[in-house]
Amino acid sequence: MSTTTRTRPALDGLRVLDLATLFAGPMAATLLGDFGAEVIKVEHPRRPDPSRGHGPAKHGVGLWWKVLGRNKRTVTLDLSTAGGRTTLLRLAATADVVIENFRPGTLEKWDLGWPELSAANARLVLARVTAFGQFGPYAHRPGFGTLAEAMSGFAAVTGEPDAPPTLPPFGLADSVAGLATAYAVLTALAAREHTGRGQVVDMAIIEPILAVLGPHPTWYDQLGHVQERTGNRSANNAPRNTYRTADGCWVAVSTSAQSVAERVLRLVGRPDLVEEPWFATGADRAAHADVLDEAVGSWIAARDRTEVLAAFEKAEAAVAPVQDVRGVLADPQYRALGTVTTVADPELGPVRMQNVLFRLSSTPGAIRWAGRPHGADTEAVLTELGLTPADIAALRAEGAL
């Protein structure tokens, strides 16, 4: 997908203030910026967003920030100072959305809570993203996505049956919450079209990941059923696993549909298993996973990955290679979709990163620039706000910038 377009972006005219740090809140702002919203990233003058220093860096420039900070103008502002508070309220008066992830009560301590923000702009949407939400016994605890992955039941069902619960090696709960926050913001903006007023979004990171885990609470409520760890297997169908090929690669096989399960077993030379009475349902097949894994696994183990993938495709059976990032970047389907794109960056030159999340036929999103240096746009944004050079100098002298 091209990084430029003459079509007016879907969210053109929307102004977002990103006051959040690390991942869930900033990711929501990134998603809005990808589709045309003007995002102004507000960071503390002396304590930048820690995501700038997360993970590998090149020439001292954090690479994660290049992705998370894309399409954002960056300004510095100490909200705990009088000048910072006043300036933030002036910015809020021009904005549609504020996204923050301070602990509950922090904005209120600075006299920047919902009463003050909505007084400055009655149409403002305030998205508050915290680990545990704005109320309840855990609300004031510090928290990160890792705790949500543990609390929600995700870790309890992830891993091998005889091994410890497993946490993901990336920000899963934060990412899911970022997606949910962007959805919540757009929902609140849609409601504003009916009411003429903004509102508060209360996003607890512990909730969206629970939502995507499926009907676990309903299963327990109605049947007392608690899902156990099953490794790569599923309690709902089989064969479903990863299998090693003759050339040392791995492939994943899924048979959620009965017809696909039948094709897989016929492909691997075991049509006799298809005729077994227990093969007729996914749950019964899962109960015979050892037999099915042996049949599928032994066939795959005798062939290299290229042959396995070709045979499955010909048989219209579901399979995918297990790929690391090198495989992702070389994968012809990702290339066809333009899932990874190259962005020109003045600090690093061409930088490859994930493209916008989805394709729109008439108003596509675009990555206009990668994450910018800390405070790079402070003077420009404040000047546009009507502050004079003397005003800006006074804020700097106060320590507000």
Side-chain angles (χ1 to χ4, degrees):
M1 183 182 295
S2 171
T3 56
T4 60
T5 178
R6 295 182 180 179
T7 306
R8 184 179 179 185
L11 300 181
D12 184 45
L14 190 72
R15 180 174 250 204
V16 178
L17 304 184
D18 175 9
L19 313 186
T21 58
L22 292 173
F23 306 115
M27 180 179 178
T30 302
L31 295 171
L32 298 173
D34 283 351
F35 285 89
E38 178 196 3
V39 180
I40 299 175
K41 174 73 175 180
V42 179
E43 298 175 84
H44 192 281
R46 293 162 291 282
R47 295 189 299 276
D49 187 331
S51 66
R52 290 181 179 273
H54 262 61
K58 182 179 179 182
H59 306 320
V61 178
L63 299 179
W64 201 331
W65 170 251
K66 287 297 176 185
V67 180
L68 192 63
R70 71 194 195 189
N71 292 334
K72 299 180 183 182
R73 303 171 79 190
T74 61
V75 306
T76 59
L77 206 57
D78 184 346
L79 304 182
S80 69
T81 65
R85 175 186 181 276
T86 301
T87 305
L88 191 280
L89 287 174
R90 289 184 67 170
L91 280 169
T94 71
D96 298 282
V97 180
V98 171
I99 301 175
E100 63 97 4
N101 71 334
F102 299 106
R103 284 199 218 178
T106 301
L107 283 184
E108 287 74 10
K109 179 178 66 176
W110 298 329
D111 293 325
L112 286 171
W114 178 239
E116 292 81 9
L117 290 171
S118 60
N121 182 354
R123 290 175 57 80
L124 189 70
V125 170
L126 173 62
R128 315 194 75 169
V129 186
T130 57
F132 305 109
Q134 295 296 309
F135 57 91
Y138 302 167
H140 291 276
R141 291 183 182 179
F144 300 99
T146 297
L147 306 190
E149 290 147 10
M151 284 182 60
S152 63
F154 172 84
V157 300
T158 305
E160 295 297 327
D162 56 351
T166 300
L167 295 168
F170 64 98
L172 175 63
D174 278 307
S175 298
V176 175
L179 289 162
T181 301
Y183 164 58
V185 164
L186 293 176
T187 301
L189 291 171
R192 189 178 72 175
E193 295 301 305
H194 306 309
T195 66
R197 299 187 63 85
Q199 61 182 297
V200 177
V201 171
D202 179 5
M203 178 61 66
I205 296 173
I206 60 172
E207 292 184 304
I209 190 169
L210 176 60
V212 301
L213 280 170
H216 290 191
T218 306
W219 285 343
Y220 181 75
D221 174 67
Q222 295 295 304
L223 301 172
H225 175 76
V226 178
Q227 183 170 324
E228 304 293 337
R229 290 190 292 283
T230 58
N232 291 327
R233 288 179 172 177
S234 168
N236 303 311
N237 64 81
R240 193 260 198 185
N241 214 326
T242 57
Y243 306 93
R244 191 166 188 170
T245 62
D247 53 349
C249 300
W250 291 86
V251 297
V253 173
S254 178
T255 57
S256 296
Q258 179 71 22
S259 59
V260 173
E262 293 175 6
R263 290 179 205 142
V264 169
L265 270 297
R266 291 192 174 101
L267 169 64
V268 302
R270 294 300 306 271
D272 56 302
L273 294 177
V274 177
E275 303 305 319
E276 292 285 349
W278 51 260
F279 199 87
T281 70
D284 284 343
R285 293 200 313 274
H288 293 80
D290 286 343
V291 174
L292 296 173
D293 275 347
E294 169 59 27
V296 175
S298 60
W299 186 90
I300 289 175
R303 293 159 175 82
D304 64 27
R305 187 176 75 170
T306 300
E307 182 181 356
V308 170
L309 296 177
F312 267 73
E313 181 175 2
K314 184 177 180 180
E316 297 184 356
V319 69
V322 176
Q323 300 179 148
D324 61 18
V325 66
R326 294 167 294 187
V328 170
L329 293 176
D331 189 282
Q333 183 61 30
Y334 280 129
R335 286 187 171 185
L337 294 173
T339 306
V340 176
T341 190
T342 300
V343 181
D345 181 69
E347 291 184 288
L348 299 176
V351 179
R352 284 193 290 181
M353 64 179 66
Q354 297 97 321
N355 209 334
V356 299
L357 192 59
F358 49 86
R359 287 161 293 282
L360 295 178
S361 61
S362 298
T363 57
I367 303 172
R368 301 179 296 281
W369 62 82
R372 289 173 54 71
H374 181 230
D377 304 291
T378 301
E379 293 199 9
V381 169
L382 297 187
T383 299
E384 292 166 9
L385 196 60
L387 274 69
T388 67
D391 295 330
I392 296 172
L395 289 171
R396 289 198 185 281
E398 182 189 351
L401 301 183

